[in-house]
Amino acid sequence: MSTAAQHPHLTVLPPLPTEPPAPLEGVVVEKTTAIEKPRPAWLGNAVNHAKENRLYLPWAARGYAQLGRDWMAGYHDGWPHMIRTAENAIAESGEIGKQSEYRQELEKRRADYRKHRLLYGGATAVVGAVGAGSLAVGTLSGGLLVDLAALVAGWGYGAWNGRRTGQDPALATGGAAPLNASAPTLGVRGVDDLITALVKADIITAAEQTETRVIGGIRQEGPGWGARIELPEGMPAVKATARLANLAGALRKKSSQIEFKPDTAEDGHEGMVRLWVGDSPNPFAGPKMYSELIDAPRWHFWRDGIPLGTDARQARQTLRLIWSSILIGGLQDYGKSYLARLIAATAALDPTVRIIVITGKKGPDWAPLRKIAHRFIAGSDPDTIREVFSTMTTVIDDMQARGDKLDRLFEEEPHRVPEGKITPELAENGMGPVLLIVEELQELLGGAALTKMPMPDDDSEKPRLVSAKPLLVDLFARFNRVSRFVLGMGVYITQRPDSGGVPTELRDVCVKRACFRTRTRESSEMVLGEMAVAAGASPHALLESSKGVLVLDEGAEDGYRTLRGDVIDLPEFAVICERGRQLRLDAGTLTGDAAARDERAQKAARARALIVGCLDVMTQLGRDAVQLDELAARVGRPADELVAAFGAAGVVRPEKVTIDGKRVRGYDRACFEAVLKAV
C-alpha cells in the first residue's frame, strides 16, 4: 500500500471568528429577523394535546350525548322498571285478592310516573327557556365577541362533560390507560382497541368498524369490565356470540372468563350484544360456598325458589323450577349431583313437596332422601326397570287425576283457580309440587335397553316384546308434558352428554337445562341445545379446575347464565332430610315409602322398648326367666296382648323355662336378647 494511501492529505481549517463580521459598506439590509422567544413547555403540551384530540370536538360531542343520556335517565328515574315489576307480580300471583292489590299498586306507580315526567319536563323547559333567552339577548346586544364567547363556552362545557364516559379518561379517548398495580387491567385500552378486537375475531370486517358502536363506553363491572356493543346493520347478535372463542383469542383471554351474549334489554335490539370480561382467568376460583339451606329451618319452594350460587360478578342466583323441568348434564365429578342436591334440599325443607327418587345405581348419594321420599327406587336391572315403569305409570295417573280435580274445582269455585292452574293456597292444601329426581339417567337407559317389555296397546294373545329404552324415554317425557300444569317437575341427571345419554325427545320437554364441563361443543349442544350454544353458552370452554361451575339456560329471553353452585356435603344433606321428615310429620304430609319406613321404625322402637322393659323385670326379679302371668302383671298389660306384641316383634317363646328348679311355661332372657340383636 502506498504512503499516500496510508496518510491522506489533511486540510487545516481556519479558526472560527470570535465576533460576528462587520457589515459590508454599501450593502443595504432590508429586514432583520428577530430571534423568537421559546414558548413555555406547558403551552406546547396543551397545544399538542389539543391537536392529538382534534381540538376536543369528539369530547364535546360525547359530552352532549352523555348529557342527553343523563337527562333521559332522570326523566324515567327507574319508573318503567318499577311498573314492569308490578306487572310481573300480577302475572305471577295466583290469588285474586293479591292481584287486585298489585293492580292498585300498578296504577299508583303509573300515576306517579306521569307526575314525575310532567314536573321534570316542566323544570327542563323553564331552565331551557331562561338559558335560551339569555343567550339570545347577549347575542343580539353584544356583537361578535359575545357570540364567540358563547360558542367557546358551549364547546368547553361539552368537552368537559365528555372528557370521560364513566371510566378512566384513557379509555374514553381510546388512549393508553396508565398502569396501576393495584387496579385490574381491562385488557383493551379503549373503544378503538375493542372494535379492533372484533375485527380480529372475524365478528366484523374492517370496513364495518365505523358502523360498530360501543354504547356508553367501557365500564368497570365488579371484578371485570363490560361493554354494550351495537353491531353493523344486518348482523344478528347470535352470529356474533357464536364466535366467542375467536373473541377470547383476540382479547388474549380465556373463554371461561368472558360472557358474550345478545342484549335483551328493552332499549336494545337484535343487533346488540353485551360483553363482560373478568379480571381473573378463573373468575369462579375460591373456597367452597356452603348453601344457606344447611341452617334454614324451613324453605318455601314456590315463593323463594332454589338458591343456586353466585355468578362471575358475585351476584346471588336463584332457580325457579315451578311449571318446568330441568336436565343436568356434563362430565363426571364436576358438580351435577351437587346441583341436584340443592334442588332436593330445597324441596325437602318444604313439607308441601312430594319427592320421588329413581336412581340408576345404588349407593349413599341419595340415601338420606329415603326418610322423606314418597317413592325411592335404586338400580338398573330388569326387575328394577319394570318397577320404574309401574311407578311412573302410577304417578302419571295420579297427576292426571289431580288435573280432573282441578277442572271440577274450576267449575264449582272458579275464584280458587283464577288461571286454571294450581295456586300457592291449593298447594298448601294437598296439591303441592311433585318433584321427580332421576339420577344416573344413562344407567337407567342402558338397563332399559337390555329389558324387554310388551308393546303398549298390543291386545294380541302374545304381545310383541320390544326394548324398554324408547318406552322409558317416552314415559319420562310424558310425565313432563302432562304434569307441568299440575305442579309436576322433573330433574334428570346424566354424566354422558351424548345422544345415548340425553335423548332429544326428553331434552326438548325440559325447559331448563344446566351443563357442567364438557369436552366438545357437540356435547354442550346435546345438553343445552344448539340455540343456547350458538348464543355463546360454552360449557366446553370451562377449565379442568372449574369444579362446581355450570352454564344454566332457562329458556328465557335473557339467555344463559354461568355461575358457581353452592355446596351441601352429604352429612349436611342427611341433616336437612331429617329436618324435612319432621316437617312432614308435623304437617301430616309424610306419605308412601317414607311413611311405611317411618311406621316400621316406630314399630321397631316400640318393640325394642317392650323387650328392654321385660329384661328390666328379670333384672329386678334377679333371675333369667319369668312366667307369662308374672310378666304381664309387672309390665301392666294383659297376657294375650303381650303374647301378640311378642309375636309381632319376632320373639320366639321357648318350650319351657326353669324357675326355682321347676320347668314352667314362660320367657327367658336369651329369647329377648336375640330380638334386640336383630332390631
Side-chain angles (χ1 to χ4, degrees), residues 476-498:
F476 287 145
R478 186 163 176 255
F479 168 81
N480 287 7
R481 292 192 301 268
V482 305
S483 66
R484 176 187 172 195
F485 293 103
V486 286
L487 291 189
M489 301 167 292
V491 179
Y492 303 93
I493 310 108
T494 179
Q495 63 182 14
R496 199 173 69 196
D498 53 30

PDB file of all heavy atoms in Angstrom, residues 476-498:
ATOM      1  N   PHE A 476     -90.851 -40.810  30.684  1.00  0.00           N
ATOM      2  CA  PHE A 476     -90.341 -39.616  31.366  1.00  0.00           C
ATOM      3  C   PHE A 476     -90.818 -38.344  30.667  1.00  0.00           C
ATOM      4  O   PHE A 476     -91.219 -37.373  31.319  1.00  0.00           O
ATOM      5  CB  PHE A 476     -88.813 -39.646  31.403  1.00  0.00           C
ATOM      6  CG  PHE A 476     -88.237 -40.643  32.369  1.00  0.00           C
ATOM      7  CD1 PHE A 476     -87.053 -41.319  32.079  1.00  0.00           C
ATOM      8  CD2 PHE A 476     -88.864 -40.906  33.571  1.00  0.00           C
ATOM      9  CE1 PHE A 476     -86.515 -42.233  32.962  1.00  0.00           C
ATOM     10  CE2 PHE A 476     -88.334 -41.829  34.474  1.00  0.00           C
ATOM     11  CZ  PHE A 476     -87.152 -42.491  34.163  1.00  0.00           C
ATOM     12  N   ALA A 477     -90.748 -38.339  29.330  1.00  0.00           N
ATOM     13  CA  ALA A 477     -91.180 -37.157  28.582  1.00  0.00           C
ATOM     14  C   ALA A 477     -92.677 -36.907  28.779  1.00  0.00           C
ATOM     15  O   ALA A 477     -93.119 -35.754  28.881  1.00  0.00           O
ATOM     16  CB  ALA A 477     -90.859 -37.333  27.098  1.00  0.00           C
ATOM     17  N   ARG A 478     -93.439 -37.974  28.856  1.00  0.00           N
ATOM     18  CA  ARG A 478     -94.889 -37.834  29.054  1.00  0.00           C
ATOM     19  C   ARG A 478     -95.183 -37.243  30.427  1.00  0.00           C
ATOM     20  O   ARG A 478     -96.099 -36.423  30.577  1.00  0.00           O
ATOM     21  CB  ARG A 478     -95.563 -39.198  28.899  1.00  0.00           C
ATOM     22  CG  ARG A 478     -97.081 -39.141  28.940  1.00  0.00           C
ATOM     23  CD  ARG A 478     -97.690 -40.404  28.380  1.00  0.00           C
ATOM     24  NE  ARG A 478     -99.140 -40.389  28.496  1.00  0.00           N
ATOM     25  CZ  ARG A 478     -99.831 -41.092  29.398  1.00  0.00           C
ATOM     26  NH1 ARG A 478     -99.198 -41.897  30.242  1.00  0.00           N
ATOM     27  NH2 ARG A 478    -101.143 -41.019  29.433  1.00  0.00           N
ATOM     28  N   PHE A 479     -94.419 -37.648  31.424  1.00  0.00           N
ATOM     29  CA  PHE A 479     -94.596 -37.054  32.750  1.00  0.00           C
ATOM     30  C   PHE A 479     -94.411 -35.542  32.673  1.00  0.00           C
ATOM     31  O   PHE A 479     -95.196 -34.775  33.244  1.00  0.00           O
ATOM     32  CB  PHE A 479     -93.597 -37.668  33.743  1.00  0.00           C
ATOM     33  CG  PHE A 479     -93.523 -36.924  35.048  1.00  0.00           C
ATOM     34  CD1 PHE A 479     -94.467 -37.128  36.039  1.00  0.00           C
ATOM     35  CD2 PHE A 479     -92.511 -35.998  35.275  1.00  0.00           C
ATOM     36  CE1 PHE A 479     -94.405 -36.422  37.242  1.00  0.00           C
ATOM     37  CE2 PHE A 479     -92.443 -35.298  36.473  1.00  0.00           C
ATOM     38  CZ  PHE A 479     -93.395 -35.512  37.453  1.00  0.00           C
ATOM     39  N   ASN A 480     -93.376 -35.089  31.977  1.00  0.00           N
ATOM     40  CA  ASN A 480     -93.135 -33.650  31.856  1.00  0.00           C
ATOM     41  C   ASN A 480     -94.309 -32.951  31.170  1.00  0.00           C
ATOM     42  O   ASN A 480     -94.705 -31.855  31.570  1.00  0.00           O
ATOM     43  CB  ASN A 480     -91.853 -33.393  31.060  1.00  0.00           C
ATOM     44  CG  ASN A 480     -90.606 -33.719  31.850  1.00  0.00           C
ATOM     45  OD1 ASN A 480     -90.674 -34.259  32.950  1.00  0.00           O
ATOM     46  ND2 ASN A 480     -89.462 -33.413  31.283  1.00  0.00           N
ATOM     47  N   ARG A 481     -94.833 -33.588  30.122  1.00  0.00           N
ATOM     48  CA  ARG A 481     -95.875 -32.931  29.339  1.00  0.00           C
ATOM     49  C   ARG A 481     -97.196 -32.845  30.090  1.00  0.00           C
ATOM     50  O   ARG A 481     -97.832 -31.786  30.101  1.00  0.00           O
ATOM     51  CB  ARG A 481     -96.088 -33.678  28.014  1.00  0.00           C
ATOM     52  CG  ARG A 481     -94.914 -33.578  27.045  1.00  0.00           C
ATOM     53  CD  ARG A 481     -95.328 -34.082  25.656  1.00  0.00           C
ATOM     54  NE  ARG A 481     -95.780 -35.476  25.696  1.00  0.00           N
ATOM     55  CZ  ARG A 481     -94.998 -36.516  25.490  1.00  0.00           C
ATOM     56  NH1 ARG A 481     -93.704 -36.337  25.229  1.00  0.00           N
ATOM     57  NH2 ARG A 481     -95.475 -37.749  25.538  1.00  0.00           N
ATOM     58  N   VAL A 482     -97.623 -33.943  30.713  1.00  0.00           N
ATOM     59  CA  VAL A 482     -98.979 -33.973  31.291  1.00  0.00           C
ATOM     60  C   VAL A 482     -99.047 -33.414  32.698  1.00  0.00           C
ATOM     61  O   VAL A 482    -100.132 -33.072  33.173  1.00  0.00           O
ATOM     62  CB  VAL A 482     -99.547 -35.410  31.272  1.00  0.00           C
ATOM     63  CG1 VAL A 482     -99.515 -35.988  29.878  1.00  0.00           C
ATOM     64  CG2 VAL A 482     -98.801 -36.316  32.240  1.00  0.00           C
ATOM     65  N   SER A 483     -97.892 -33.310  33.386  1.00  0.00           N
ATOM     66  CA  SER A 483     -97.945 -32.908  34.794  1.00  0.00           C
ATOM     67  C   SER A 483     -97.477 -31.479  35.037  1.00  0.00           C
ATOM     68  O   SER A 483     -97.531 -31.000  36.167  1.00  0.00           O
ATOM     69  CB  SER A 483     -97.083 -33.855  35.644  1.00  0.00           C
ATOM     70  OG  SER A 483     -95.715 -33.726  35.304  1.00  0.00           O
ATOM     71  N   ARG A 484     -97.022 -30.805  33.988  1.00  0.00           N
ATOM     72  CA  ARG A 484     -96.448 -29.474  34.186  1.00  0.00           C
ATOM     73  C   ARG A 484     -97.442 -28.514  34.844  1.00  0.00           C
ATOM     74  O   ARG A 484     -97.095 -27.798  35.786  1.00  0.00           O
ATOM     75  CB  ARG A 484     -95.989 -28.914  32.836  1.00  0.00           C
ATOM     76  CG  ARG A 484     -95.462 -27.506  32.923  1.00  0.00           C
ATOM     77  CD  ARG A 484     -95.168 -26.923  31.551  1.00  0.00           C
ATOM     78  NE  ARG A 484     -94.837 -25.521  31.649  1.00  0.00           N
ATOM     79  CZ  ARG A 484     -94.817 -24.690  30.632  1.00  0.00           C
ATOM     80  NH1 ARG A 484     -95.120 -25.141  29.431  1.00  0.00           N
ATOM     81  NH2 ARG A 484     -94.512 -23.429  30.792  1.00  0.00           N
ATOM     82  N   PHE A 485     -98.685 -28.493  34.363  1.00  0.00           N
ATOM     83  CA  PHE A 485     -99.643 -27.512  34.860  1.00  0.00           C
ATOM     84  C   PHE A 485    -100.313 -27.942  36.158  1.00  0.00           C
ATOM     85  O   PHE A 485    -101.136 -27.201  36.684  1.00  0.00           O
ATOM     86  CB  PHE A 485    -100.696 -27.225  33.785  1.00  0.00           C
ATOM     87  CG  PHE A 485    -100.128 -26.522  32.590  1.00  0.00           C
ATOM     88  CD1 PHE A 485     -99.879 -27.205  31.415  1.00  0.00           C
ATOM     89  CD2 PHE A 485     -99.792 -25.183  32.653  1.00  0.00           C
ATOM     90  CE1 PHE A 485     -99.343 -26.561  30.314  1.00  0.00           C
ATOM     91  CE2 PHE A 485     -99.250 -24.529  31.559  1.00  0.00           C
ATOM     92  CZ  PHE A 485     -99.027 -25.209  30.387  1.00  0.00           C
ATOM     93  N   VAL A 486     -99.972 -29.125  36.651  1.00  0.00           N
ATOM     94  CA  VAL A 486    -100.449 -29.531  37.978  1.00  0.00           C
ATOM     95  C   VAL A 486     -99.253 -29.720  38.912  1.00  0.00           C
ATOM     96  O   VAL A 486     -99.268 -30.548  39.814  1.00  0.00           O
ATOM     97  CB  VAL A 486    -101.311 -30.809  37.898  1.00  0.00           C
ATOM     98  CG1 VAL A 486    -102.677 -30.484  37.311  1.00  0.00           C
ATOM     99  CG2 VAL A 486    -100.618 -31.888  37.085  1.00  0.00           C
ATOM    100  N   LEU A 487     -98.194 -28.943  38.647  1.00  0.00           N
ATOM    101  CA  LEU A 487     -97.012 -28.838  39.512  1.00  0.00           C
ATOM    102  C   LEU A 487     -96.130 -30.080  39.499  1.00  0.00           C
ATOM    103  O   LEU A 487     -95.473 -30.388  40.499  1.00  0.00           O
ATOM    104  CB  LEU A 487     -97.410 -28.502  40.957  1.00  0.00           C
ATOM    105  CG  LEU A 487     -97.976 -27.108  41.177  1.00  0.00           C
ATOM    106  CD1 LEU A 487     -98.108 -26.829  42.670  1.00  0.00           C
ATOM    107  CD2 LEU A 487     -97.114 -26.038  40.530  1.00  0.00           C
ATOM    108  N   GLY A 488     -96.084 -30.791  38.387  1.00  0.00           N
ATOM    109  CA  GLY A 488     -95.111 -31.868  38.244  1.00  0.00           C
ATOM    110  C   GLY A 488     -93.805 -31.320  37.685  1.00  0.00           C
ATOM    111  O   GLY A 488     -93.798 -30.570  36.701  1.00  0.00           O
ATOM    112  N   MET A 489     -92.699 -31.673  38.298  1.00  0.00           N
ATOM    113  CA  MET A 489     -91.379 -31.182  37.883  1.00  0.00           C
ATOM    114  C   MET A 489     -90.408 -32.348  37.830  1.00  0.00           C
ATOM    115  O   MET A 489     -90.378 -33.177  38.740  1.00  0.00           O
ATOM    116  CB  MET A 489     -90.859 -30.126  38.867  1.00  0.00           C
ATOM    117  CG  MET A 489     -91.744 -28.903  39.020  1.00  0.00           C
ATOM    118  SD  MET A 489     -91.269 -27.913  40.452  1.00  0.00           S
ATOM    119  CE  MET A 489     -91.729 -29.019  41.785  1.00  0.00           C
ATOM    120  N   GLY A 490     -89.612 -32.410  36.773  1.00  0.00           N
ATOM    121  CA  GLY A 490     -88.622 -33.465  36.637  1.00  0.00           C
ATOM    122  C   GLY A 490     -87.211 -32.913  36.708  1.00  0.00           C
ATOM    123  O   GLY A 490     -86.924 -31.837  36.176  1.00  0.00           O
ATOM    124  N   VAL A 491     -86.323 -33.645  37.365  1.00  0.00           N
ATOM    125  CA  VAL A 491     -84.895 -33.323  37.417  1.00  0.00           C
ATOM    126  C   VAL A 491     -84.154 -34.548  36.893  1.00  0.00           C
ATOM    127  O   VAL A 491     -84.155 -35.604  37.537  1.00  0.00           O
ATOM    128  CB  VAL A 491     -84.433 -32.986  38.853  1.00  0.00           C
ATOM    129  CG1 VAL A 491     -82.942 -32.672  38.869  1.00  0.00           C
ATOM    130  CG2 VAL A 491     -85.222 -31.823  39.411  1.00  0.00           C
ATOM    131  N   TYR A 492     -83.528 -34.424  35.726  1.00  0.00           N
ATOM    132  CA  TYR A 492     -82.868 -35.550  35.072  1.00  0.00           C
ATOM    133  C   TYR A 492     -81.370 -35.284  35.030  1.00  0.00           C
ATOM    134  O   TYR A 492     -80.928 -34.249  34.507  1.00  0.00           O
ATOM    135  CB  TYR A 492     -83.414 -35.734  33.656  1.00  0.00           C
ATOM    136  CG  TYR A 492     -84.916 -35.931  33.626  1.00  0.00           C
ATOM    137  CD1 TYR A 492     -85.770 -34.849  33.458  1.00  0.00           C
ATOM    138  CD2 TYR A 492     -85.474 -37.194  33.789  1.00  0.00           C
ATOM    139  CE1 TYR A 492     -87.145 -35.017  33.450  1.00  0.00           C
ATOM    140  CE2 TYR A 492     -86.852 -37.375  33.780  1.00  0.00           C
ATOM    141  CZ  TYR A 492     -87.682 -36.277  33.619  1.00  0.00           C
ATOM    142  OH  TYR A 492     -89.045 -36.458  33.618  1.00  0.00           O
ATOM    143  N   ILE A 493     -80.582 -36.200  35.582  1.00  0.00           N
ATOM    144  CA  ILE A 493     -79.132 -36.023  35.679  1.00  0.00           C
ATOM    145  C   ILE A 493     -78.439 -37.124  34.894  1.00  0.00           C
ATOM    146  O   ILE A 493     -78.750 -38.318  35.077  1.00  0.00           O
ATOM    147  CB  ILE A 493     -78.666 -36.061  37.154  1.00  0.00           C
ATOM    148  CG1 ILE A 493     -79.504 -35.116  38.018  1.00  0.00           C
ATOM    149  CG2 ILE A 493     -77.193 -35.702  37.257  1.00  0.00           C
ATOM    150  CD1 ILE A 493     -80.452 -35.791  38.945  1.00  0.00           C
ATOM    151  N   THR A 494     -77.509 -36.729  34.029  1.00  0.00           N
ATOM    152  CA  THR A 494     -76.732 -37.705  33.261  1.00  0.00           C
ATOM    153  C   THR A 494     -75.288 -37.251  33.190  1.00  0.00           C
ATOM    154  O   THR A 494     -75.007 -36.057  33.106  1.00  0.00           O
ATOM    155  CB  THR A 494     -77.293 -37.871  31.835  1.00  0.00           C
ATOM    156  OG1 THR A 494     -76.480 -38.806  31.122  1.00  0.00           O
ATOM    157  CG2 THR A 494     -77.321 -36.554  31.089  1.00  0.00           C
ATOM    158  N   GLN A 495     -74.364 -38.198  33.236  1.00  0.00           N
ATOM    159  CA  GLN A 495     -72.945 -37.868  33.112  1.00  0.00           C
ATOM    160  C   GLN A 495     -72.390 -38.328  31.771  1.00  0.00           C
ATOM    161  O   GLN A 495     -71.182 -38.405  31.584  1.00  0.00           O
ATOM    162  CB  GLN A 495     -72.143 -38.497  34.249  1.00  0.00           C
ATOM    163  CG  GLN A 495     -72.157 -40.016  34.270  1.00  0.00           C
ATOM    164  CD  GLN A 495     -71.376 -40.562  35.453  1.00  0.00           C
ATOM    165  OE1 GLN A 495     -71.053 -39.837  36.385  1.00  0.00           O
ATOM    166  NE2 GLN A 495     -71.059 -41.838  35.415  1.00  0.00           N
ATOM    167  N   ARG A 496     -73.288 -38.618  30.841  1.00  0.00           N
ATOM    168  CA  ARG A 496     -72.859 -38.985  29.498  1.00  0.00           C
ATOM    169  C   ARG A 496     -73.617 -38.108  28.505  1.00  0.00           C
ATOM    170  O   ARG A 496     -74.646 -38.487  27.971  1.00  0.00           O
ATOM    171  CB  ARG A 496     -73.127 -40.459  29.216  1.00  0.00           C
ATOM    172  CG  ARG A 496     -72.301 -40.990  28.029  1.00  0.00           C
ATOM    173  CD  ARG A 496     -72.462 -42.481  27.890  1.00  0.00           C
ATOM    174  NE  ARG A 496     -73.801 -42.853  27.453  1.00  0.00           N
ATOM    175  CZ  ARG A 496     -74.299 -44.080  27.548  1.00  0.00           C
ATOM    176  NH1 ARG A 496     -73.589 -45.035  28.088  1.00  0.00           N
ATOM    177  NH2 ARG A 496     -75.520 -44.344  27.109  1.00  0.00           N
ATOM    178  N   PRO A 497     -73.103 -36.881  28.264  1.00  0.00           N
ATOM    179  CA  PRO A 497     -73.828 -35.930  27.406  1.00  0.00           C
ATOM    180  C   PRO A 497     -73.686 -36.252  25.924  1.00  0.00           C
ATOM    181  O   PRO A 497     -73.009 -35.554  25.180  1.00  0.00           O
ATOM    182  CB  PRO A 497     -73.176 -34.590  27.762  1.00  0.00           C
ATOM    183  CG  PRO A 497     -71.787 -34.951  28.183  1.00  0.00           C
ATOM    184  CD  PRO A 497     -71.880 -36.299  28.836  1.00  0.00           C
ATOM    185  N   ASP A 498     -74.309 -37.349  25.497  1.00  0.00           N
ATOM    186  CA  ASP A 498     -74.321 -37.687  24.084  1.00  0.00           C
ATOM    187  C   ASP A 498     -75.730 -38.131  23.722  1.00  0.00           C
ATOM    188  O   ASP A 498     -76.647 -38.106  24.554  1.00  0.00           O
ATOM    189  CB  ASP A 498     -73.289 -38.771  23.762  1.00  0.00           C
ATOM    190  CG  ASP A 498     -73.437 -40.011  24.640  1.00  0.00           C
ATOM    191  OD1 ASP A 498     -74.578 -40.300  25.070  1.00  0.00           O
ATOM    192  OD2 ASP A 498     -72.424 -40.683  24.902  1.00  0.00           O
TER     193      ASP A 498
END
